[in-house]
Coordinates of all heavy atoms in Angstrom, one line a residue:
M11 N -92.5 15.7 -10.2 CA -92.2 17.0 -10.9 C -92.3 18.1 -9.9 O -93.2 18.3 -9.2 CB -93.2 17.2 -12.1 CG -92.8 18.3 -13.0 SD -94.1 18.7 -14.2 CE -93.6 17.6 -15.5
N12 N -91.3 18.9 -10.0 CA -91.2 20.0 -9.0 C -91.9 21.2 -9.7 O -91.4 21.8 -10.6 CB -89.8 20.3 -8.7 CG -89.7 21.3 -7.6 OD1 -90.7 21.8 -7.1 ND2 -88.5 21.7 -7.2
T13 N -93.1 21.5 -9.1 CA -93.8 22.7 -9.7 C -93.6 24.0 -8.9 O -94.2 24.9 -9.1 CB -95.3 22.4 -9.7 OG1 -95.7 21.9 -8.4 CG2 -95.6 21.3 -10.7
K14 N -92.7 23.9 -8.0 CA -92.4 25.0 -7.2 C -91.8 26.2 -8.0 O -90.8 26.0 -8.7 CB -91.5 24.7 -6.0 CG -91.5 25.7 -4.9 CD -90.7 25.2 -3.7 CE -91.0 26.0 -2.5 NZ -90.3 25.5 -1.3
V15 N -92.4 27.3 -7.9 CA -92.0 28.4 -8.7 C -91.0 29.2 -7.8 O -91.3 29.5 -6.7 CB -93.1 29.3 -9.1 CG1 -92.6 30.5 -9.9 CG2 -94.1 28.5 -9.9
T16 N -89.8 29.4 -8.4 CA -88.8 30.1 -7.6 C -89.0 31.6 -7.7 O -88.8 32.3 -6.7 CB -87.4 29.8 -8.1 OG1 -87.4 29.9 -9.5 CG2 -87.0 28.4 -7.7
A17 N -89.6 32.1 -8.8 CA -89.7 33.5 -8.9 C -91.0 34.0 -8.4 O -91.9 34.5 -9.1 CB -89.6 33.9 -10.4
T18 N -91.2 33.8 -7.1 CA -92.5 34.2 -6.5 C -92.4 35.7 -6.1 O -93.4 36.3 -5.7 CB -92.8 33.4 -5.2 OG1 -91.6 33.3 -4.5 CG2 -93.3 32.0 -5.6
Q19 N -91.2 36.2 -6.2 CA -91.1 37.6 -5.8 C -91.3 38.5 -6.9 O -90.5 39.5 -7.2 CB -89.7 37.9 -5.2 CG -89.4 37.1 -3.9 CD -90.2 37.7 -2.8 OE1 -90.8 38.8 -2.9 NE2 -90.3 36.9 -1.6
I20 N -92.4 38.3 -7.6 CA -92.7 39.2 -8.7 C -93.1 40.5 -8.1 O -94.0 40.6 -7.3 CB -93.9 38.7 -9.6 CG1 -93.5 37.3 -10.2 CG2 -94.3 39.6 -10.6 CD1 -94.7 36.5 -10.7
P21 N -92.4 41.6 -8.5 CA -92.8 42.9 -8.0 C -94.2 43.2 -8.4 O -94.7 43.0 -9.5 CB -91.8 43.8 -8.6 CG -91.3 43.1 -9.8 CD -91.4 41.6 -9.5
L22 N -94.9 43.7 -7.4 CA -96.3 44.1 -7.6 C -96.3 45.2 -8.7 O -95.7 46.3 -8.5 CB -96.9 44.5 -6.3 CG -98.4 44.5 -6.3 CD1 -99.0 43.1 -6.5 CD2 -98.9 45.0 -4.9
N23 N -97.1 45.0 -9.7 CA -97.2 46.1 -10.7 C -98.1 47.1 -10.2 O -99.0 46.9 -9.4 CB -97.7 45.5 -12.0 CG -96.7 44.5 -12.6 OD1 -95.5 44.7 -12.6 ND2 -97.2 43.5 -13.3
T24 N -97.9 48.3 -10.7 CA -98.8 49.4 -10.4 C -99.5 49.7 -11.8 O -98.9 49.5 -12.8 CB -98.1 50.6 -9.8 OG1 -97.0 50.9 -10.6 CG2 -97.7 50.4 -8.4
C25 N -100.7 50.2 -11.6 CA -101.5 50.5 -12.8 C -100.7 51.5 -13.7 O -100.1 52.4 -13.2 CB -102.8 51.2 -12.3 SG -103.9 51.7 -13.6
A26 N -100.8 51.2 -15.0 CA -100.0 52.0 -16.0 C -100.6 53.4 -16.2 O -99.9 54.2 -16.8 CB -100.0 51.2 -17.3
C27 N -101.7 53.7 -15.6 CA -102.2 55.0 -15.8 C -101.6 56.0 -14.9 O -102.0 57.2 -14.8 CB -103.8 55.0 -15.7 SG -104.4 55.3 -14.1
T28 N -100.7 55.6 -14.1 CA -99.9 56.4 -13.1 C -100.7 56.7 -11.8 O -100.3 57.6 -11.1 CB -99.4 57.7 -13.7 OG1 -100.5 58.6 -13.9 CG2 -98.7 57.5 -15.0
C29 N -101.9 56.0 -11.6 CA -102.6 56.3 -10.4 C -101.9 55.6 -9.2 O -102.2 56.0 -8.1 CB -104.1 55.8 -10.6 SG -104.1 54.0 -10.6
G30 N -101.0 54.7 -9.5 CA -100.2 54.1 -8.5 C -100.9 52.9 -7.8 O -100.3 52.3 -6.9
E31 N -102.1 52.6 -8.2 CA -102.8 51.5 -7.5 C -102.2 50.1 -8.0 O -101.8 50.0 -9.2 CB -104.3 51.6 -7.9 CG -105.0 52.6 -7.1 CD -106.5 52.6 -7.4 OE1 -107.1 51.6 -7.3 OE2 -107.0 53.7 -7.8
P32 N -102.1 49.2 -7.1 CA -101.5 47.9 -7.5 C -102.4 47.1 -8.5 O -103.7 47.2 -8.4 CB -101.3 47.2 -6.2 CG -102.4 47.8 -5.3 CD -102.5 49.2 -5.7
V33 N -101.8 46.4 -9.4 CA -102.6 45.5 -10.3 C -102.0 44.1 -10.2 O -100.8 44.0 -9.7 CB -102.6 46.0 -11.7 CG1 -103.4 47.3 -11.8 CG2 -101.2 46.2 -12.2
G34 N -102.7 43.1 -10.7 CA -102.1 41.8 -10.7 C -101.0 41.7 -11.6 O -100.7 42.5 -12.4
P35 N -100.2 40.5 -11.5 CA -99.0 40.3 -12.3 C -99.3 40.4 -13.8 O -98.4 40.7 -14.5 CB -98.5 39.0 -11.9 CG -99.6 38.3 -11.1 CD -100.5 39.4 -10.6
K36 N -100.5 40.0 -14.2 CA -100.7 40.0 -15.7 C -101.5 41.2 -16.1 O -101.6 41.5 -17.3 CB -101.6 38.8 -16.0 CG -100.8 37.5 -16.0 CD -101.7 36.4 -16.5 CE -100.9 35.0 -16.3 NZ -101.9 33.9 -16.4
A37 N -102.0 42.0 -15.2 CA -102.7 43.2 -15.6 C -101.8 44.4 -15.8 O -100.8 44.5 -15.2 CB -103.8 43.5 -14.5
T38 N -102.3 45.3 -16.7 CA -101.6 46.5 -16.9 C -102.3 47.6 -16.2 O -101.7 48.6 -15.7 CB -101.5 46.8 -18.4 OG1 -100.9 45.6 -19.0 CG2 -100.6 48.0 -18.7
Y39 N -103.6 47.5 -16.1 CA -104.4 48.6 -15.6 C -105.4 48.1 -14.6 O -105.8 46.9 -14.6 CB -105.2 49.2 -16.7 CG -104.4 50.0 -17.7 CD1 -104.2 49.5 -19.0 CD2 -103.9 51.3 -17.3 CE1 -103.5 50.3 -19.9 CE2 -103.1 52.0 -18.3 CZ -103.0 51.5 -19.5 OH -102.2 52.2 -20.4
R40 N -105.8 49.0 -13.7 CA -107.0 48.7 -12.9 C -108.2 48.7 -13.9 O -108.1 49.4 -15.0 CB -107.2 49.8 -11.9 CG -106.1 50.0 -10.9 CD -106.1 48.9 -9.9 NE -107.2 48.9 -9.0 CZ -107.3 48.1 -8.0 NH1 -106.4 47.2 -7.8 NH2 -108.4 48.1 -7.2
P41 N -109.3 48.1 -13.6 CA -110.4 48.1 -14.5 C -110.8 49.5 -14.9 O -111.0 50.3 -14.0 CB -111.5 47.3 -13.8 CG -110.8 46.5 -12.8 CD -109.5 47.3 -12.4
G42 N -110.9 49.7 -16.2 CA -111.4 51.1 -16.6 C -110.3 52.1 -16.8 O -110.5 53.1 -17.4
H43 N -109.1 51.8 -16.2 CA -108.0 52.8 -16.2 C -107.3 52.9 -17.5 O -106.6 53.9 -17.7 CB -107.0 52.5 -15.0 CG -107.6 52.9 -13.7 ND1 -106.8 53.2 -12.6 CD2 -108.9 53.0 -13.2 CE1 -107.5 53.4 -11.5 NE2 -108.8 53.3 -11.9
D44 N -107.6 51.9 -18.4 CA -106.9 52.0 -19.7 C -107.5 53.2 -20.4 O -106.8 54.0 -21.0 CB -107.1 50.7 -20.4 CG -108.5 50.2 -20.5 OD1 -109.3 50.7 -19.7 OD2 -108.8 49.4 -21.3
A45 N -108.8 53.3 -20.3 CA -109.5 54.4 -21.0 C -109.1 55.8 -20.4 O -108.8 56.8 -21.1 CB -111.0 54.3 -20.9
R46 N -108.9 55.7 -19.1 CA -108.5 56.9 -18.4 C -107.1 57.3 -18.8 O -106.8 58.5 -19.0 CB -108.5 56.5 -16.9 CG -108.1 57.6 -15.9 CD -108.2 57.1 -14.5 NE -107.1 57.6 -13.7 CZ -107.2 57.8 -12.4 NH1 -108.3 57.5 -11.8 NH2 -106.2 58.3 -11.8
H47 N -106.2 56.3 -18.9 CA -104.9 56.7 -19.3 C -104.9 57.3 -20.8 O -104.2 58.2 -21.1 CB -104.0 55.4 -19.3 CG -102.5 55.6 -19.4 ND1 -101.6 54.7 -19.6 CD2 -101.8 56.8 -19.3 CE1 -100.4 55.2 -19.7 NE2 -100.5 56.5 -19.5
A48 N -105.7 56.6 -21.6 CA -105.7 57.1 -23.0 C -106.2 58.6 -23.0 O -105.7 59.4 -23.7 CB -106.7 56.2 -23.8
G49 N -107.1 58.9 -22.1 CA -107.6 60.2 -22.0 C -106.6 61.2 -21.5 O -106.4 62.3 -22.0
M50 N -105.8 60.7 -20.6 CA -104.7 61.6 -20.0 C -103.7 61.8 -21.1 O -103.2 63.0 -21.2 CB -104.1 60.8 -18.8 CG -104.9 60.8 -17.6 SD -104.3 59.7 -16.3 CE -102.6 60.1 -16.2
V51 N -103.3 60.8 -21.8 CA -102.3 61.0 -22.9 C -102.9 61.9 -24.0 O -102.1 62.8 -24.4 CB -102.0 59.6 -23.5 CG1 -101.1 59.8 -24.7 CG2 -101.1 58.8 -22.5
A52 N -104.1 61.7 -24.3 CA -104.7 62.6 -25.3 C -104.6 64.1 -24.8 O -104.3 64.9 -25.6 CB -106.2 62.2 -25.5
R53 N -104.9 64.3 -23.6 CA -104.9 65.7 -23.1 C -103.4 66.2 -23.2 O -103.2 67.4 -23.5 CB -105.4 65.8 -21.6 CG -106.8 66.3 -21.5 CD -107.1 66.8 -20.1 NE -106.7 65.9 -19.1 CZ -107.4 64.8 -18.7 NH1 -108.6 64.6 -19.3 NH2 -107.0 64.1 -17.8
A54 N -102.5 65.4 -22.8 CA -101.1 65.8 -22.8 C -100.6 66.1 -24.3 O -99.9 67.0 -24.5 CB -100.2 64.7 -22.2
V55 N -101.1 65.3 -25.2 CA -100.8 65.5 -26.6 C -101.4 66.8 -27.1 O -100.7 67.6 -27.8 CB -101.3 64.3 -27.5 CG1 -101.2 64.7 -29.0 CG2 -100.6 63.0 -27.2
V56 N -102.6 67.1 -26.7 CA -103.2 68.4 -27.1 C -102.4 69.5 -26.5 O -102.2 70.5 -27.2 CB -104.6 68.4 -26.5 CG1 -105.2 69.9 -26.7 CG2 -105.5 67.4 -27.2
E57 N -101.8 69.4 -25.3 CA -101.0 70.4 -24.8 C -99.6 70.5 -25.3 O -99.0 71.6 -25.4 CB -101.0 70.3 -23.3 CG -102.3 70.7 -22.6 CD -102.3 70.3 -21.1 OE1 -101.2 70.0 -20.5 OE2 -103.4 70.2 -20.6
N58 N -99.1 69.3 -25.7 CA -97.7 69.3 -26.2 C -97.7 68.5 -27.5 O -97.3 67.3 -27.6 CB -96.8 68.6 -25.2 CG -96.7 69.3 -23.9 OD1 -96.2 70.4 -23.9 ND2 -97.3 68.8 -22.9
P59 N -98.2 69.1 -28.6 CA -98.3 68.3 -29.9 C -97.0 67.8 -30.3 O -97.0 66.7 -31.0 CB -98.9 69.3 -30.8 CG -99.5 70.4 -30.0 CD -98.8 70.4 -28.7
K60 N -96.0 68.5 -30.0 CA -94.6 68.0 -30.5 C -94.2 66.8 -29.8 O -93.3 66.0 -30.3 CB -93.6 69.1 -30.2 CG -93.7 70.3 -31.2 CD -92.7 71.4 -30.9 CE -92.9 72.5 -31.9 NZ -92.1 73.7 -31.5
Q61 N -94.8 66.5 -28.6 CA -94.4 65.3 -27.9 C -95.4 64.2 -28.2 O -95.3 63.1 -27.5 CB -94.5 65.6 -26.4 CG -93.6 66.7 -25.9 CD -92.1 66.4 -25.9 OE1 -91.8 65.2 -25.7 NE2 -91.3 67.3 -26.3
A62 N -96.2 64.4 -29.2 CA -97.3 63.4 -29.4 C -96.7 61.9 -29.5 O -97.3 61.0 -28.9 CB -98.0 63.7 -30.7
K63 N -95.7 61.8 -30.3 CA -95.1 60.4 -30.5 C -94.7 59.8 -29.2 O -95.1 58.7 -28.9 CB -94.0 60.4 -31.5 CG -94.3 59.8 -32.8 CD -93.1 59.6 -33.6 CE -93.4 58.9 -34.9 NZ -92.3 58.8 -35.8
A64 N -93.9 60.5 -28.4 CA -93.4 60.0 -27.2 C -94.6 59.7 -26.2 O -94.6 58.7 -25.5 CB -92.4 61.0 -26.6
L65 N -95.6 60.6 -26.2 CA -96.7 60.5 -25.3 C -97.5 59.2 -25.7 O -97.9 58.4 -24.8 CB -97.5 61.7 -25.3 CG -96.9 62.9 -24.6 CD1 -97.6 64.2 -25.0 CD2 -96.9 62.8 -23.1
L66 N -97.7 59.1 -26.9 CA -98.6 57.9 -27.4 C -97.8 56.7 -27.1 O -98.4 55.6 -26.9 CB -98.9 58.1 -28.9 CG -99.9 59.1 -29.2 CD1 -100.0 59.5 -30.7 CD2 -101.3 58.8 -28.7
A67 N -96.5 56.7 -27.2 CA -95.7 55.5 -27.0 C -95.8 55.0 -25.5 O -95.5 53.9 -25.2 CB -94.2 55.8 -27.3
T68 N -96.3 55.8 -24.6 CA -96.5 55.4 -23.3 C -97.7 54.5 -23.1 O -97.9 53.9 -22.1 CB -96.6 56.6 -22.3 OG1 -97.8 57.3 -22.6 CG2 -95.4 57.5 -22.4
L69 N -98.5 54.5 -24.1 CA -99.7 53.5 -24.1 C -99.3 52.1 -24.6 O -98.5 52.0 -25.5 CB -100.8 54.1 -25.0 CG -101.5 55.4 -24.4 CD1 -102.3 56.0 -25.5 CD2 -102.3 55.1 -23.2
P70 N -99.7 51.1 -23.8 CA -99.2 49.8 -24.1 C -99.8 49.1 -25.3 O -99.3 48.0 -25.7 CB -99.6 49.1 -22.8 CG -100.8 49.7 -22.3 CD -100.7 51.2 -22.7
S71 N -100.8 49.6 -26.0 CA -101.4 48.9 -27.1 C -101.8 49.8 -28.2 O -102.1 51.0 -28.0 CB -102.6 48.1 -26.6 OG -103.7 48.9 -26.4
D72 N -101.9 49.3 -29.4 CA -102.3 50.1 -30.6 C -103.8 50.6 -30.4 O -104.1 51.7 -30.7 CB -102.3 49.2 -31.8 CG -100.8 49.0 -32.3 OD1 -100.0 49.8 -31.9 OD2 -100.6 48.1 -33.1
A73 N -104.5 49.7 -29.7 CA -106.0 50.1 -29.5 C -106.1 51.4 -28.7 O -106.8 52.3 -29.0 CB -106.7 49.0 -28.9
L74 N -105.2 51.4 -27.6 CA -105.3 52.6 -26.8 C -104.7 53.8 -27.4 O -105.2 54.9 -27.3 CB -104.5 52.3 -25.5 CG -105.3 51.5 -24.4 CD1 -104.5 51.2 -23.2 CD2 -106.6 52.2 -24.0
R75 N -103.7 53.5 -28.3 CA -103.1 54.7 -29.0 C -104.1 55.2 -29.9 O -104.3 56.5 -30.0 CB -101.8 54.2 -29.7 CG -100.6 54.2 -28.8 CD -99.3 54.0 -29.7 NE -99.2 52.6 -30.1 CZ -98.7 51.7 -29.3 NH1 -98.2 52.0 -28.1 NH2 -98.6 50.4 -29.7
A76 N -104.9 54.3 -30.6 CA -105.9 54.8 -31.5 C -107.0 55.6 -30.7 O -107.5 56.6 -31.2 CB -106.5 53.6 -32.2
K77 N -107.3 55.1 -29.6 CA -108.3 55.7 -28.8 C -107.9 57.1 -28.4 O -108.6 58.1 -28.5 CB -108.6 54.9 -27.5 CG -109.7 55.3 -26.7 CD -109.8 54.4 -25.5 CE -111.0 54.7 -24.6 NZ -112.3 54.2 -25.1
A78 N -106.6 57.2 -28.0 CA -106.1 58.5 -27.6 C -106.0 59.5 -28.8 O -106.3 60.6 -28.7 CB -104.7 58.3 -27.0
Q79 N -105.7 58.9 -29.9 CA -105.6 59.8 -31.1 C -106.9 60.3 -31.5 O -107.1 61.4 -32.0 CB -104.9 59.0 -32.2 CG -103.4 59.0 -32.1 CD -102.7 58.1 -33.1 OE1 -103.2 57.0 -33.4 NE2 -101.6 58.6 -33.7
R80 N -108.0 59.4 -31.3 CA -109.3 59.9 -31.6 C -109.7 61.0 -30.7 O -110.3 62.0 -31.1 CB -110.3 58.7 -31.6 CG -110.3 57.8 -32.8 CD -111.6 57.0 -32.8 NE -111.7 56.1 -31.6 CZ -111.2 54.9 -31.5 NH1 -110.4 54.4 -32.5 NH2 -111.3 54.2 -30.4
A81 N -109.3 60.8 -29.4 CA -109.7 61.9 -28.4 C -108.9 63.2 -28.8 O -109.5 64.3 -28.6 CB -109.3 61.4 -27.0
V82 N -107.7 63.1 -29.2 CA -107.0 64.3 -29.6 C -107.6 64.9 -30.8 O -107.8 66.1 -30.8 CB -105.5 63.9 -30.0 CG1 -104.8 65.1 -30.6 CG2 -104.7 63.4 -28.8
A83 N -108.0 64.1 -31.7 CA -108.7 64.7 -32.9 C -110.0 65.4 -32.5 O -110.3 66.5 -33.1 CB -109.0 63.5 -33.9
R84 N -110.7 64.8 -31.6 CA -112.0 65.4 -31.2 C -111.7 66.8 -30.4 O -112.3 67.8 -30.6 CB -112.7 64.5 -30.2 CG -113.7 63.6 -30.8 CD -114.7 63.2 -29.8 NE -114.1 62.6 -28.6 CZ -113.7 61.4 -28.4 NH1 -113.8 60.5 -29.5 NH2 -113.2 60.9 -27.3
A85 N -110.6 66.7 -29.6 CA -110.3 67.9 -28.8 C -109.7 69.0 -29.6 O -109.9 70.2 -29.3 CB -109.3 67.5 -27.7
T86 N -109.1 68.7 -30.8 CA -108.5 69.7 -31.6 C -109.3 70.1 -32.8 O -109.0 71.0 -33.5 CB -107.1 69.3 -32.0 OG1 -107.2 68.0 -32.8 CG2 -106.1 69.1 -30.9
A87 N -110.4 69.3 -33.0 CA -111.2 69.7 -34.2 C -111.9 71.0 -33.9 O -112.3 71.3 -32.8 CB -112.2 68.6 -34.4
P88 N -112.0 71.8 -35.0 CA -112.8 73.0 -34.8 C -114.2 72.7 -34.5 O -114.8 71.7 -34.9 CB -112.7 73.6 -36.2 CG -112.3 72.5 -37.2 CD -111.6 71.5 -36.3
K89 N -114.7 73.5 -33.6 CA -116.1 73.3 -33.1 C -117.1 73.4 -34.3 O -117.0 74.4 -35.0 CB -116.4 74.2 -32.0 CG -115.6 74.0 -30.7 CD -116.5 74.3 -29.5 CE -115.8 73.7 -28.3 NZ -114.9 74.6 -27.7
P90 N -118.0 72.5 -34.4 CA -118.9 72.6 -35.5 C -119.9 73.7 -35.3 O -120.2 74.0 -34.2 CB -119.7 71.2 -35.4 CG -119.5 70.7 -34.0 CD -118.1 71.3 -33.6
E91 N -120.2 74.3 -36.4 CA -121.2 75.4 -36.3 C -122.5 74.9 -35.8 O -122.9 73.8 -36.1 CB -121.3 76.0 -37.7 CG -120.1 76.5 -38.4 CD -119.5 77.7 -37.7 OE1 -120.3 78.6 -37.2 OE2 -118.3 77.8 -37.6
P92 N -123.1 75.7 -34.9 CA -124.3 75.2 -34.3 C -125.5 75.0 -35.3 O -126.1 74.0 -35.2 CB -124.7 76.4 -33.4 CG -123.8 77.5 -33.6 CD -122.6 76.9 -34.4
K93 N -125.6 75.9 -36.3 CA -126.7 75.7 -37.2 C -126.2 75.4 -38.6 O -126.5 74.4 -39.2 CB -127.6 77.0 -37.2 CG -128.7 76.9 -36.2 CD -129.6 78.2 -36.4 CE -130.5 78.3 -35.1 NZ -131.2 79.6 -35.1
A94 N -125.5 76.4 -39.1 CA -125.1 76.3 -40.6 C -124.4 75.0 -40.9 O -123.3 74.7 -40.5 CB -124.2 77.4 -40.9
K95 N -125.1 74.1 -41.6 CA -124.5 72.9 -42.0 C -123.7 73.1 -43.2 O -124.2 73.6 -44.3 CB -125.6 71.8 -42.3 CG -125.7 70.8 -41.2 CD -126.5 69.6 -41.6 CE -126.7 68.6 -40.5 NZ -127.5 67.5 -40.9
T96 N -122.4 72.8 -43.1 CA -121.5 73.0 -44.3 C -121.6 71.8 -45.2 O -121.9 70.7 -44.8 CB -120.0 73.2 -43.9 OG1 -119.7 72.1 -43.0 CG2 -119.9 74.5 -43.2
E97 N -121.5 72.1 -46.5 CA -121.5 71.0 -47.4 C -120.4 70.0 -47.1 O -119.3 70.3 -46.9 CB -121.3 71.5 -48.9 CG -122.2 72.7 -49.2 CD -123.5 72.1 -49.8 OE1 -123.5 71.1 -50.4 OE2 -124.6 72.7 -49.5
E98 N -120.8 68.7 -47.1 CA -119.8 67.7 -46.8 C -119.2 67.1 -48.0 O -119.8 66.3 -48.7 CB -120.5 66.6 -45.9 CG -120.6 67.0 -44.5 CD -121.3 65.9 -43.7 OE1 -121.1 64.7 -44.1 OE2 -121.9 66.2 -42.7
Q99 N -118.0 67.5 -48.3 CA -117.2 67.0 -49.4 C -118.0 66.6 -50.6 O -118.3 65.5 -51.0 CB -116.5 65.7 -48.9 CG -115.5 66.0 -47.9 CD -114.8 64.8 -47.4 OE1 -115.1 63.7 -47.8 NE2 -113.9 64.9 -46.4
A100 N -118.5 67.7 -51.3 CA -119.3 67.5 -52.5 C -118.3 67.1 -53.6 O -117.8 67.9 -54.4 CB -120.1 68.7 -52.9
A101 N -118.0 65.8 -53.6 CA -116.9 65.4 -54.6 C -117.6 65.1 -55.9 O -118.2 64.1 -56.1 CB -116.2 64.2 -54.1
Ligands
LIG201 ZN1 -104.9 53.5 -12.8

């Protein structure tokens, strides 16, 4: 059986966070850079809320998109009052 792989010229991938560092053929990110990318996208969304969809689409997984969206929510949430605790949804 010929196990020789002809497609050995797999282009070296670069980390998806745009840092430009090379990653293995199966990897998308350098270790830890997925969180970094989510953070970058979150910041970009905060600055360009109208581009949110397109920006989030640059993340390769739902988990990262969710992470970025949580970061956006944190960044855009009104700062909690230091002392006065507001009633939480007295339903
Ligand atoms: Zn990176």
